[in-house]
Amino acid sequence: MEEQNLAIRVHGLHKSYQKLQVLKGVDFDVASGSIFALLGSNGAGKTTIVRILATLLKPDDGTASVNGFDVLSQPARVRESISLTGQFAAVDEILTGRENLVMIAKLRQVEHPRRVADDLLERFGLADAAGRRVATYSGGMRRRLDIAMSLIGDPPVIFLDEPTTGLDPEGRIEVWQVIQNLADSGTTVLLTTQYLEEAEKLADRIAILHEGTIIVSGTLAELRELLPSAKVEYVERQPTLEEVFLAIVGSDKTPENDKERQ
Amino acid sequence: MSAHSFSNTSVMLGRSVRHVTRSMDTIITVTIMPIAFMLLFVYVFGGAIQAGTDNYVNYLMPGILLIAIASGIAYTSYRLFNDLQSGIFERFHSMPIARSSVLWGHVLTSLVANAISVVIIILVGLLMGFRSSAGVLAWLAVAGILVLFTLALTWVAVISGLSASSPDGASAFSYPLIFLPFVSSAFVPTDTMPGPVRAFAENQPVTSIVNTIRALLEEQPVGSDIWIALAWCVGILIVAYAFAMVAYRRKIA
């Protein structure tokens, strides 16, 4: 990968909380406009990496840069380049969906905050719920609003920290489509997840974080090559419970449709 | 303050003022206890209290307002604590905005919410016979002292909101503050109190603030009380602000 095409560079990152060593030398690069999935179990340090990249936490050692700006020496420039969508949807429950978007638009000082908000509400299928307080939204609606808030100001890099944790299957597929559309329009996406299927479906490159270091990293095909080549077996394929669920509730966003779009 | 941070702060203020106006119960719970104290002291104890005044409502109004503010600031801790818990605090801090606007939004909202409570209590006081012939300047001075007192206690509330580990913990610090006016000149003159209690009452912040506000409303000379009151408010403000900044830096890199 060429230097200038790297949206995120992480080198030798260390971080401890008191005696607990969370990151023990993490290295990875993310190409501009790609989806990079950071895979790991709970407590592996995924959120710690995202917090360091979002300038919310200082590393003990190592360097990290986002969009060419160092997180320690140019934090303000990093913040101009990113948006963070947290593990627990950071939306204001007391405000309405539209008010949340207008608030972020005003903070980012974009022109015509109300028009920006209305466009996003339309795009994310929240126009009907725009005037309702977010406290009344479903988990999927909340997460879509959360991601919509992150898009304001068109930041070139977006961090999605476990964007589908706690969502039902329909909500998860909705969020996947949003992420795919983002990458298609040139945004760099750093995604953390504990769902292998999610990384497999979305990511251009996948890194597995385990006990504080990246143990493997590469494309899905490269990761597959780490194991013995596939054997051809005859398996009677039963519909998965997810397919049954989605067929019965009558959603058109079945996983099959979703795959065709990719 | 730059134009950028001014704009950010006004957005933050607009946000948390909406939180207040959409949960008017927070204003009601703040005003109901001081009003209950006012009713209790005027109509139950008042007849037996020798305060050396013919209008006891006038006498206790300053102390009642301080109790209202001391309980009102607990909601600032609570709202700040909720922002930290929900993750919106981190969202704001990862954005290209003036980071100070996040705290200042809450602090200014505290001033707005407490001003609403104070006005409601004064209106109830008027119904109960509170009267003042003080002019505009004296009222402005009273407002100024109350704003300074609110600001000082709000920064104490910020420390608690930033460092608490539960919503109850975030607001519990205000209980002792609510009772401070009882051991002061707010309800009875301090000269009837036994020695050590009297010494405490006369040298704690509430007495000088109460005496100053009472003198301003009664058009009496404020004497040295106003300077002692201002020194207390500014002193608490500076110390609380310094500790709030320490708590803040521990939360955010």
Side-chain angles (χ1 to χ4, degrees), chain B residues 15-124:
Chain B
R15 162 179 182 256
S16 52
V17 165
R18 280 203 174 105
H19 284 213
V20 175
T21 55
R22 284 183 193 172
S23 48
M24 283 313 281
D25 53 321
T26 60
I27 298 282
I28 293 166
T29 50
V30 165
T31 51
I32 207 145
M33 186 183 58
I35 289 171
F37 281 143
M38 197 152 65
L39 292 169
L40 192 66
F41 274 85
V42 171
Y43 297 122
V44 181
F45 306 142
I49 292 174
Q50 300 295 321
T53 168
D54 46 6
N55 185 336
Y56 189 56
V57 185
N58 281 3
Y59 187 86
L60 58 77
M61 183 55 89
I64 293 291
L65 295 181
L66 298 191
I67 289 178
I69 292 169
S71 67
I73 49 145
Y75 279 105
T76 302
S77 297
Y78 179 73
R79 282 189 285 265
L80 186 55
F81 179 79
N82 277 348
D83 274 7
L84 282 159
Q85 287 301 94
S86 72
I88 204 154
F89 192 82
E90 295 212 322
R91 161 165 246 141
F92 290 143
H93 280 81
S94 71
M95 288 174 60
I97 60 171
R99 284 183 161 190
S100 60
S101 66
V102 181
L103 287 187
W104 275 103
H106 280 289
V107 170
L108 297 179
T109 300
S110 167
L111 290 180
V112 173
N114 281 298
I116 297 172
S117 313
V118 161
V119 168
I120 291 174
I121 289 167
I122 290 177
L123 291 176
V124 173

Side-chain angles (χ1 to χ4, degrees), chain A residues 22 24 52 108 120 189 197 203 228:
Chain A
V22 181
K24 305 170 186 169
I52 289 171
R108 280 196 172 256
L120 283 166
V189 177
E197 188 195 356

Side-chain angles (χ1 to χ4, degrees), chain A residues 37 39 164 169 172-173 176 191 193-203 206 220 224 240 242-243 246 254-256 258-259 262:
Chain A
L39 206 59
T164 61
R172 210 168 69 216
I173 292 166
W176 285 350
L191 171 79
T193 184
Q194 45 179 322
Y195 302 124
L196 312 183
E197 188 195 356
E198 187 162 293
E200 192 169 339
K201 220 166 174 26
L202 291 170
I206 299 164
L220 182 59
R224 281 197 173 125
T240 64
E242 180 170 323
E243 283 161 353
L246 292 167
T254 64
E256 255 47 320
D258 199 42
K259 259 176 207 144
Q262 283 182 21

Side-chain angles (χ1 to χ4, degrees), chain A residues 141-227:
Chain A
M141 291 164 77
R142 239 172 244 236
R143 209 58 65 96
R144 273 183 284 152
L145 176 66
D146 188 12
I147 296 174
M149 284 159 77
S150 298
L151 302 191
I152 295 172
D154 298 318
V157 180
I158 291 191
F159 302 129
L160 295 163
D161 191 14
E162 304 208 0
T164 61
T165 299
L167 291 190
D168 60 18
E170 285 173 298
R172 210 168 69 216
I173 292 166
E174 281 171 15
V175 169
W176 285 350
Q177 284 174 356
V178 169
I179 297 171
Q180 193 58 59
N181 293 344
L182 265 179
D184 291 346
S185 62
T187 306
T188 309
V189 177
L190 173 67
L191 171 79
T192 76
T193 184
Q194 45 179 322
Y195 302 124
L196 312 183
E197 188 195 356
E198 187 162 293
E200 192 169 339
K201 220 166 174 26
L202 291 170
D204 298 309
R205 291 181 77 82
I206 299 164
I208 298 176
L209 183 67
H210 186 66
E211 291 180 351
T213 53
I214 304 269
I215 48 173
V216 280
S217 141
T219 62
L220 182 59
E222 285 166 0
L223 296 189
R224 281 197 173 125
E225 278 170 19
L226 295 173
L227 292 183

Side-chain angles (χ1 to χ4, degrees), chain A residues 56-199:
Chain A
L56 295 171
L57 196 66
K58 290 192 171 86
D60 297 335
D61 196 16
T63 58
S65 68
V66 178
N67 207 24
F69 303 113
D70 186 80
V71 293
L72 282 177
S73 60
Q74 299 165 290
R77 303 301 300 271
V78 171
R79 281 176 224 138
E80 284 167 14
S81 312
I82 61 160
S83 261
L84 170 66
T85 299
Q87 190 170 343
F88 304 99
V91 292
D92 189 321
E93 297 211 338
I94 294 166
L95 302 186
T96 67
R98 177 180 284 113
E99 286 169 340
N100 266 288
L101 291 163
V102 170
M103 170 177 74
I104 299 294
K106 283 184 174 168
L107 287 173
R108 280 196 172 256
Q109 302 189 311
V110 300
E111 286 178 25
H112 314 297
R114 279 182 184 76
R115 198 188 303 161
V116 169
D118 285 337
D119 285 350
L120 283 166
L121 288 164
E122 197 63 48
R123 221 171 111 191
F124 283 83
L126 293 167
D128 292 337
R132 264 167 45 200
R133 287 196 200 183
V134 173
T136 67
Y137 282 21
S138 71
M141 291 164 77
R142 239 172 244 236
R143 209 58 65 96
R144 273 183 284 152
L145 176 66
D146 188 12
I147 296 174
M149 284 159 77
S150 298
L151 302 191
I152 295 172
D154 298 318
V157 180
I158 291 191
F159 302 129
L160 295 163
D161 191 14
E162 304 208 0
T164 61
T165 299
L167 291 190
D168 60 18
E170 285 173 298
R172 210 168 69 216
I173 292 166
E174 281 171 15
V175 169
W176 285 350
Q177 284 174 356
V178 169
I179 297 171
Q180 193 58 59
N181 293 344
L182 265 179
D184 291 346
S185 62
T187 306
T188 309
V189 177
L190 173 67
L191 171 79
T192 76
T193 184
Q194 45 179 322
Y195 302 124
L196 312 183
E197 188 195 356
E198 187 162 293

